[in-house]
Short mmCIF file of all heavy atoms in Angstrom, two decimals:
data_model
loop_
_atom_site.label_atom_id
_atom_site.label_comp_id
_atom_site.label_asym_id
_atom_site.label_seq_id
_atom_site.Cartn_x
_atom_site.Cartn_y
_atom_site.Cartn_z
N GLY A 744 101.24 99.68 70.09
CA GLY A 744 102.59 99.14 70.38
C GLY A 744 103.52 100.05 71.08
O GLY A 744 104.70 99.78 71.18
N TYR A 745 103.05 101.16 71.63
CA TYR A 745 103.91 102.08 72.43
C TYR A 745 104.10 101.54 73.80
O TYR A 745 103.18 101.00 74.45
CB TYR A 745 103.29 103.45 72.43
CG TYR A 745 103.70 104.33 71.29
CD1 TYR A 745 103.25 104.05 69.98
CD2 TYR A 745 104.49 105.42 71.47
CE1 TYR A 745 103.60 104.85 68.92
CE2 TYR A 745 104.86 106.24 70.36
CZ TYR A 745 104.43 105.94 69.10
OH TYR A 745 104.82 106.73 68.07
N GLN A 746 105.32 101.76 74.34
CA GLN A 746 105.53 101.64 75.76
C GLN A 746 105.09 102.93 76.42
O GLN A 746 105.28 104.03 75.84
CB GLN A 746 107.03 101.39 76.01
CG GLN A 746 107.60 100.19 75.28
CD GLN A 746 109.10 100.13 75.31
OE1 GLN A 746 109.68 99.48 76.18
NE2 GLN A 746 109.75 100.81 74.36
N THR A 747 104.53 102.83 77.60
CA THR A 747 103.92 104.06 78.23
C THR A 747 104.41 104.19 79.68
O THR A 747 104.48 103.23 80.43
CB THR A 747 102.40 103.95 78.25
OG1 THR A 747 102.01 102.74 78.94
CG2 THR A 747 101.84 103.82 76.80
N ALA A 748 104.72 105.45 80.01
CA ALA A 748 105.17 105.75 81.40
C ALA A 748 104.79 107.13 81.74
O ALA A 748 104.60 108.01 80.93
CB ALA A 748 106.68 105.61 81.44
N MET A 749 104.62 107.33 83.06
CA MET A 749 104.29 108.65 83.58
C MET A 749 105.10 108.92 84.81
O MET A 749 105.33 108.06 85.63
CB MET A 749 102.81 108.74 83.92
CG MET A 749 102.41 110.09 84.53
SD MET A 749 100.68 110.24 85.01
CE MET A 749 100.78 111.80 85.92
N SER A 750 105.53 110.22 84.96
CA SER A 750 106.21 110.70 86.13
C SER A 750 105.62 111.99 86.54
O SER A 750 105.50 112.93 85.75
CB SER A 750 107.73 110.84 85.78
OG SER A 750 108.42 111.34 86.93
N GLY A 751 105.16 112.12 87.80
CA GLY A 751 104.65 113.37 88.28
C GLY A 751 103.26 113.36 88.84
O GLY A 751 102.84 112.35 89.46
N LYS A 752 102.52 114.41 88.63
CA LYS A 752 101.21 114.68 89.24
C LYS A 752 100.06 114.09 88.44
O LYS A 752 99.85 114.41 87.30
CB LYS A 752 101.02 116.18 89.39
CG LYS A 752 99.70 116.64 89.94
CD LYS A 752 99.71 118.14 90.12
CE LYS A 752 98.32 118.69 90.53
NZ LYS A 752 98.37 120.14 90.82
N TRP A 753 99.27 113.20 89.09
CA TRP A 753 98.15 112.57 88.46
C TRP A 753 96.91 113.42 88.60
O TRP A 753 96.43 114.01 87.61
CB TRP A 753 97.89 111.19 89.10
CG TRP A 753 96.80 110.34 88.53
CD1 TRP A 753 95.75 109.82 89.23
CD2 TRP A 753 96.63 109.92 87.15
NE1 TRP A 753 94.96 109.06 88.40
CE2 TRP A 753 95.47 109.11 87.14
CE3 TRP A 753 97.30 110.13 86.01
CZ2 TRP A 753 95.00 108.55 85.97
CZ3 TRP A 753 96.85 109.54 84.80
CH2 TRP A 753 95.74 108.77 84.82
N HIS A 754 96.34 113.51 89.80
CA HIS A 754 95.26 114.47 90.10
C HIS A 754 93.98 114.34 89.23
O HIS A 754 93.34 115.34 88.92
CB HIS A 754 95.78 115.91 90.04
CG HIS A 754 95.02 116.87 90.88
ND1 HIS A 754 94.98 118.23 90.65
CD2 HIS A 754 94.25 116.67 91.99
CE1 HIS A 754 94.21 118.80 91.56
NE2 HIS A 754 93.76 117.91 92.37
N VAL A 755 93.67 113.12 88.80
CA VAL A 755 92.41 112.89 88.05
C VAL A 755 91.70 111.65 88.61
O VAL A 755 91.14 110.87 87.88
CB VAL A 755 92.68 112.78 86.54
CG1 VAL A 755 92.90 114.10 85.91
CG2 VAL A 755 93.79 111.81 86.20
N SER A 756 91.79 111.50 89.95
CA SER A 756 91.11 110.37 90.60
C SER A 756 90.49 110.87 91.91
O SER A 756 90.90 111.90 92.44
CB SER A 756 92.09 109.23 90.91
OG SER A 756 93.23 109.69 91.69
N ASN A 757 89.47 110.19 92.35
CA ASN A 757 88.80 110.59 93.60
C ASN A 757 89.81 110.55 94.75
O ASN A 757 90.60 109.61 94.86
CB ASN A 757 87.59 109.70 93.92
CG ASN A 757 86.46 109.86 92.92
OD1 ASN A 757 85.85 108.87 92.55
ND2 ASN A 757 86.24 111.06 92.42
N THR A 758 89.70 111.47 95.66
CA THR A 758 90.65 111.57 96.78
C THR A 758 90.04 110.82 98.01
O THR A 758 88.92 111.23 98.44
CB THR A 758 90.99 113.01 97.13
OG1 THR A 758 89.77 113.80 97.05
CG2 THR A 758 91.94 113.57 96.11
N ASN A 759 90.73 109.88 98.53
CA ASN A 759 90.29 109.12 99.68
C ASN A 759 90.64 109.82 101.00
O ASN A 759 91.60 109.45 101.67
CB ASN A 759 90.89 107.69 99.66
CG ASN A 759 90.32 106.82 98.60
OD1 ASN A 759 89.33 107.13 97.99
ND2 ASN A 759 90.95 105.70 98.36
N GLY A 760 89.95 110.87 101.31
CA GLY A 760 90.21 111.62 102.56
C GLY A 760 89.66 110.87 103.77
O GLY A 760 88.78 110.07 103.64
N GLN A 761 90.19 111.20 104.94
CA GLN A 761 89.73 110.64 106.18
C GLN A 761 88.60 111.47 106.80
O GLN A 761 88.65 112.71 106.74
CB GLN A 761 90.89 110.48 107.17
CG GLN A 761 92.08 109.70 106.66
CD GLN A 761 91.64 108.38 106.07
OE1 GLN A 761 91.01 107.56 106.78
NE2 GLN A 761 92.00 108.06 104.86
N LYS A 762 87.60 110.84 107.38
CA LYS A 762 86.48 111.56 107.97
C LYS A 762 86.86 112.37 109.18
O LYS A 762 86.38 113.46 109.43
CB LYS A 762 85.37 110.56 108.32
CG LYS A 762 84.71 109.92 107.08
CD LYS A 762 83.57 108.99 107.53
CE LYS A 762 82.94 108.35 106.28
NZ LYS A 762 81.82 107.42 106.67
N ASN A 763 87.81 111.81 109.96
CA ASN A 763 88.28 112.49 111.13
C ASN A 763 89.38 113.48 110.74
O ASN A 763 90.43 113.07 110.21
CB ASN A 763 88.82 111.48 112.14
CG ASN A 763 89.28 112.11 113.44
OD1 ASN A 763 90.08 113.05 113.41
ND2 ASN A 763 88.76 111.62 114.56
N PRO A 764 89.18 114.78 110.97
CA PRO A 764 90.20 115.77 110.53
C PRO A 764 91.61 115.54 111.14
O PRO A 764 92.63 115.79 110.44
CB PRO A 764 89.60 117.12 111.06
CG PRO A 764 88.13 116.87 111.14
CD PRO A 764 87.98 115.46 111.56
N GLN A 765 91.66 115.08 112.36
CA GLN A 765 92.97 114.79 112.96
C GLN A 765 93.66 113.59 112.28
O GLN A 765 94.85 113.66 112.04
CB GLN A 765 92.85 114.51 114.42
CG GLN A 765 94.19 114.44 115.15
CD GLN A 765 95.05 115.66 115.01
OE1 GLN A 765 94.60 116.80 115.23
NE2 GLN A 765 96.30 115.47 114.52
N ASP A 766 92.83 112.58 111.91
CA ASP A 766 93.38 111.49 111.14
C ASP A 766 94.00 111.96 109.80
O ASP A 766 95.03 111.53 109.37
CB ASP A 766 92.35 110.42 110.89
CG ASP A 766 92.06 109.53 112.12
OD1 ASP A 766 92.93 109.53 113.05
OD2 ASP A 766 91.02 108.85 112.13
N GLN A 767 93.24 112.86 109.19
CA GLN A 767 93.71 113.39 107.89
C GLN A 767 95.03 114.17 108.06
O GLN A 767 95.97 113.96 107.26
CB GLN A 767 92.64 114.29 107.27
CG GLN A 767 93.02 114.87 105.91
CD GLN A 767 93.05 113.81 104.85
OE1 GLN A 767 92.57 112.72 104.97
NE2 GLN A 767 93.74 114.12 103.74
N LEU A 768 95.12 114.97 109.13
CA LEU A 768 96.40 115.70 109.34
C LEU A 768 97.50 114.75 109.65
O LEU A 768 98.60 114.90 109.18
CB LEU A 768 96.20 116.67 110.50
CG LEU A 768 95.56 118.03 110.16
CD1 LEU A 768 95.30 118.85 111.39
CD2 LEU A 768 96.43 118.80 109.17
N ASP A 769 97.27 113.69 110.46
CA ASP A 769 98.29 112.70 110.78
C ASP A 769 98.76 112.01 109.52
O ASP A 769 99.95 111.66 109.44
CB ASP A 769 97.75 111.71 111.79
CG ASP A 769 97.55 112.33 113.18
OD1 ASP A 769 98.15 113.41 113.45
OD2 ASP A 769 96.86 111.73 113.99
N TRP A 770 97.87 111.80 108.59
CA TRP A 770 98.22 111.16 107.30
C TRP A 770 99.12 112.09 106.48
O TRP A 770 100.18 111.71 105.98
CB TRP A 770 96.96 110.78 106.56
CG TRP A 770 97.12 109.76 105.44
CD1 TRP A 770 98.14 108.89 105.27
CD2 TRP A 770 96.17 109.52 104.43
NE1 TRP A 770 97.91 108.12 104.14
CE2 TRP A 770 96.74 108.51 103.62
CE3 TRP A 770 94.96 110.05 104.06
CZ2 TRP A 770 96.07 107.98 102.49
CZ3 TRP A 770 94.26 109.56 102.98
CH2 TRP A 770 94.80 108.51 102.19
N LEU A 771 98.68 113.35 106.43
CA LEU A 771 99.43 114.37 105.67
C LEU A 771 100.84 114.59 106.29
O LEU A 771 101.78 114.85 105.58
CB LEU A 771 98.67 115.68 105.67
CG LEU A 771 97.37 115.72 104.86
CD1 LEU A 771 96.56 116.97 105.23
CD2 LEU A 771 97.64 115.68 103.36
N ASN A 772 100.88 114.48 107.59
CA ASN A 772 102.15 114.69 108.32
C ASN A 772 103.02 113.46 108.35
O ASN A 772 104.09 113.48 109.02
CB ASN A 772 101.85 115.11 109.77
CG ASN A 772 101.09 116.40 109.89
OD1 ASN A 772 101.04 117.21 108.89
ND2 ASN A 772 100.50 116.70 111.01
N HIS A 773 102.64 112.39 107.64
CA HIS A 773 103.41 111.13 107.58
C HIS A 773 103.51 110.47 108.94
O HIS A 773 104.48 109.76 109.25
CB HIS A 773 104.82 111.40 107.04
CG HIS A 773 104.83 112.07 105.71
ND1 HIS A 773 104.44 111.53 104.55
CD2 HIS A 773 105.24 113.33 105.40
CE1 HIS A 773 104.57 112.35 103.55
NE2 HIS A 773 105.05 113.49 104.03
N GLN A 774 102.47 110.68 109.80
CA GLN A 774 102.48 110.03 111.13
C GLN A 774 101.60 108.79 111.16
O GLN A 774 101.76 107.90 111.99
CB GLN A 774 101.97 111.02 112.15
CG GLN A 774 102.77 112.33 112.22
CD GLN A 774 104.24 112.08 112.53
OE1 GLN A 774 104.58 111.35 113.44
NE2 GLN A 774 105.09 112.68 111.66
N LYS A 775 100.63 108.69 110.26
CA LYS A 775 99.72 107.51 110.17
C LYS A 775 99.60 107.11 108.70
O LYS A 775 99.90 107.90 107.80
CB LYS A 775 98.33 107.82 110.67
CG LYS A 775 98.29 107.93 112.21
CD LYS A 775 96.83 108.17 112.73
CE LYS A 775 96.77 108.32 114.23
NZ LYS A 775 95.35 108.54 114.71
N ASP A 776 99.22 105.88 108.47
CA ASP A 776 99.04 105.32 107.14
C ASP A 776 97.63 104.82 106.99
O ASP A 776 97.19 103.98 107.75
CB ASP A 776 100.07 104.21 106.91
CG ASP A 776 100.01 103.62 105.50
OD1 ASP A 776 99.22 104.09 104.71
OD2 ASP A 776 100.76 102.67 105.24
N PHE A 777 96.94 105.32 106.03
CA PHE A 777 95.54 104.91 105.74
C PHE A 777 95.39 104.25 104.38
O PHE A 777 94.31 104.22 103.81
CB PHE A 777 94.62 106.11 105.92
CG PHE A 777 94.45 106.57 107.35
CD1 PHE A 777 95.18 107.69 107.74
CD2 PHE A 777 93.68 105.91 108.25
CE1 PHE A 777 95.12 108.13 109.05
CE2 PHE A 777 93.58 106.38 109.56
CZ PHE A 777 94.32 107.46 109.97
N GLY A 778 96.49 103.78 103.85
CA GLY A 778 96.43 102.94 102.64
C GLY A 778 96.37 103.78 101.34
O GLY A 778 96.97 104.81 101.24
N ASP A 779 95.55 103.28 100.37
CA ASP A 779 95.53 103.87 99.08
C ASP A 779 95.01 105.27 99.11
O ASP A 779 94.11 105.64 99.85
CB ASP A 779 94.71 103.04 98.11
CG ASP A 779 95.22 101.61 98.01
OD1 ASP A 779 96.45 101.40 98.09
OD2 ASP A 779 94.38 100.69 97.85
#
């Protein structure tokens, strides 16, 4: 019966990185969006 909430760093799920290194950098740099 508890209400549950989280704020902050999750870091316990597989990371969906991009195969193309430049695509990955563009995603990290907030220049492209690759979804989840």
Side-chain angles (χ1 to χ4, degrees):
Y745 272 68
Q746 303 169 94
T747 59
M749 177 182 171
S750 178
K752 175 175 173 176
W753 182 234
H754 205 205
V755 284
S756 57
N757 294 142
T758 42
N759 288 347
Q761 304 308 306
K762 292 182 180 179
N763 182 306
Q765 188 57 52
D766 283 342
Q767 182 67 18
L768 278 174
D769 289 343
W770 197 18
L771 293 164
N772 297 342
H773 306 289
Q774 303 302 310
K775 289 184 179 179
D776 182 2
F777 291 98
D779 301 327

